Amino acid sequence: MTIIGYARVSTTDQDLSIQESALRAAAVRSSAQRSAAARPQQGREELRIILDFLRTGDVLMITRIDRLARSIGDLQDIVRQVKVCGASLKATKQPIDTGTAAGKCFLDMLGVFAEFETNLRRERQLEGIAKAKAAGIYKGRQVSIDVAKVREMKAQGLGATTIAKTLGIGRASVYRVLEPGQ
């Protein structure tokens, strides 16, 4: 049985040392960690490598489930993959052990509450933005494309590449402006 640790931070100014200490205390022999903020894909790639490496009887050790997954769906996918390998998932700071019925139950409950909290935070953020827009405080990003100019240049027979270079915008932006119904 090998205990493999996984630590992750969400932003580049966060420190992995607390998670690493907790994993070492749990007798983790090897660990991998990434900053998801610096390179989100690379952090997920490191997790993929670990999941591919797991064998029967191995343990994937984390400190908390929010360090492992971003949503309940993501968490369930990871737990399924760990189970298919014949391994288990354990957490140092939460009573999670997918090798036991109670541990699985607790994992699912924590996952549901974590996603609920994320959804509440998103709702509050959207409410705040709507309130700021209504008060005229939040106006959004400044318009950077002169739609009339793009259409005028197209009417003159110019191609998308020429229009984009002339206006200093991307060709995809030109095509979006010129889409029917825009």
Side-chain angles (χ1 to χ4, degrees), residues 145 147-148 150-151 172-182:
I145 299 172
V147 175
V150 171
R151 290 191 176 133
S173 297
V174 173
Y175 288 124
R176 266 193 303 277
V177 168
L178 297 175
E179 280 179 1
Q182 294 295 324

Side-chain angles (χ1 to χ4, degrees), residues 70-73 110-120 122:
R70 296 183 182 123
S71 68
I72 189 70
L110 274 179
V112 167
F113 285 117
E115 185 163 340
F116 176 65
E117 180 184 6
T118 299
N119 290 338
L120 285 177
R122 187 177 305 121

Side-chain angles (χ1 to χ4, degrees), residues 64-120:
R64 298 185 322 263
I65 63 167
D66 66 329
R67 301 294 86 211
L68 181 65
R70 296 183 182 123
S71 68
I72 189 70
D74 189 26
L75 178 63
Q76 289 171 338
D77 290 343
I78 292 167
V79 170
R80 266 192 291 275
Q81 190 167 354
V82 168
K83 185 177 179 181
V84 165
C85 296
S88 63
L89 173 69
K90 291 185 180 182
T92 61
K93 296 186 177 186
Q94 296 165 327
I96 294 171
D97 179 353
T98 60
T100 68
K104 284 185 231 173
C105 177
F106 193 75
L107 172 72
D108 288 342
M109 285 189 297
L110 274 179
V112 167
F113 285 117
E115 185 163 340
F116 176 65
E117 180 184 6
T118 299
N119 290 338
L120 285 177

Side-chain angles (χ1 to χ4, degrees), residues 119-131:
N119 290 338
L120 285 177
R121 191 178 318 113
R122 187 177 305 121
E123 284 178 9
R124 286 191 303 266
Q125 181 183 20
L126 292 174
E127 287 171 0
I129 290 171
K131 183 178 177 183

Side-chain angles (χ1 to χ4, degrees), residues 137-157:
I137 297 168
Y138 182 89
K139 295 182 171 78
R141 188 174 152 227
Q142 294 290 327
V143 176
S144 61
I145 299 172
D146 185 346
V147 175
K149 185 70 174 167
V150 171
R151 290 191 176 133
E152 177 186 324
M153 292 174 81
K154 182 63 178 173
Q156 293 171 2

